[in-house]
Amino acid sequence: MRKPVIAGNWKMFKTVSESVATALALKPLVANANHCEVIIAPVFTALKSVANRLEGSNIKIAAQNCATERSEGAFTGEVAAFMLKDAGCSHVIVGHSERRQYYLETDHIVSHKTQAGLAAGLTIIVCVGETLEQREQGKARDVVSEQIVGGLSGLTASDLDRIIVAYEPVWAIGTGRTATPEQAQEMHAFIRRVFAERHSQAAAESLRILYGGSVKPDNIAALMKQSDIDGALVGGASLNAESFAQIVNYK
Ligand code: PGA
């Protein structure tokens, strides 16, 4: 059985006090959500404060990015994965399409960040997904399998239970245009097959694959009915405690 994961990606929103206020509002609303893992990803500056205030709760903390380097050093502006762990994170998101698009992250960089996160003991949420143009050209599967193979190169069998894949079609992020449950299911099943070929059937069967892209309280239930959709990575609708709690409590 794959335990679902509902993760909120707060992107570059909220000050420290706003982040703490949202986290504290969320806490009682999801306290009984035993059917899934609940994760929120505040900005770097708010991680420690939010983690401190959520200690002992069922909400886990993710960072939205980490350095490719594993140990400290002269890398101005970067934050190492072990520092995120030290600040209270259990997870880190890597390879989000906004990072690929605006900060030119390649699969090679994603792979190094994944390795750095694993070495620090974090669980990695690796994002993949095609653009609208790539989908219209019939290249969606090729793009996604290339991102999976390139971004997750060099993993050992023991790393795999700390890998979560998030399929986020770029054309569905922040656009209000969700992939249909069938479109998402089709790609999730494909990702699982790619994983089975590269690793093992058992690893593929236990891999959690999240859908992301305009997930809202009113579309989560239909997405979660699909057999290969194991949760969601939620952007806009995670910024508000009530709407994110509705998504978490989709059952
Ligand atoms: P969205 O963002 O839910 O606002 O579309 C999803 C994401 O980028 O992770």
Side-chain angles (χ1 to χ4, degrees), residues 4 7 25 27 37-38 47-48 80 83 93 99 107-109 126 148 165-166 179 186 188 194 199 201 216-217 242:
K27 192 172 150 179
E37 285 179 30
V38 183
L47 289 171
K48 180 72 179 156
M83 295 168 177
I93 300 170
R99 298 219 49 90
D107 292 332
H108 182 73
I109 293 173
V126 188
I148 296 270
V165 172
E186 202 209 324
H188 283 222
V194 171
H199 300 288
Q201 191 62 34
K216 303 276 180 287
E242 284 74 26

Side-chain angles (χ1 to χ4, degrees), residues 142-161:
D142 290 348
V143 167
V144 167
S145 80
E146 211 173 282
Q147 289 172 337
I148 296 270
V149 171
L152 296 180
S153 59
L155 295 186
T156 64
S158 64
D159 295 331
L160 295 176
D161 52 354

Side-chain angles (χ1 to χ4, degrees), residues 188-204:
H188 283 222
F190 172 72
I191 291 170
R192 210 177 292 290
R193 284 201 297 281
V194 171
F195 229 76
E197 277 162 26
R198 281 194 62 79
H199 300 288
S200 66
Q201 191 62 34

Side-chain angles (χ1 to χ4, degrees), residues 7-11 93 96-98 127 166 168-170 172-177 211-216 232-239 247:
N9 171 13
W10 289 0
K11 307 193 179 184
I93 300 170
H96 190 281
S97 66
E98 286 152 14
C127 304
E168 301 202 300
V170 177
I173 294 178
T175 58
R177 189 175 157 188
Y211 169 77
S214 299
V215 173
K216 303 276 180 287
L233 182 56
V234 186
S238 72
L239 293 171
I247 295 172

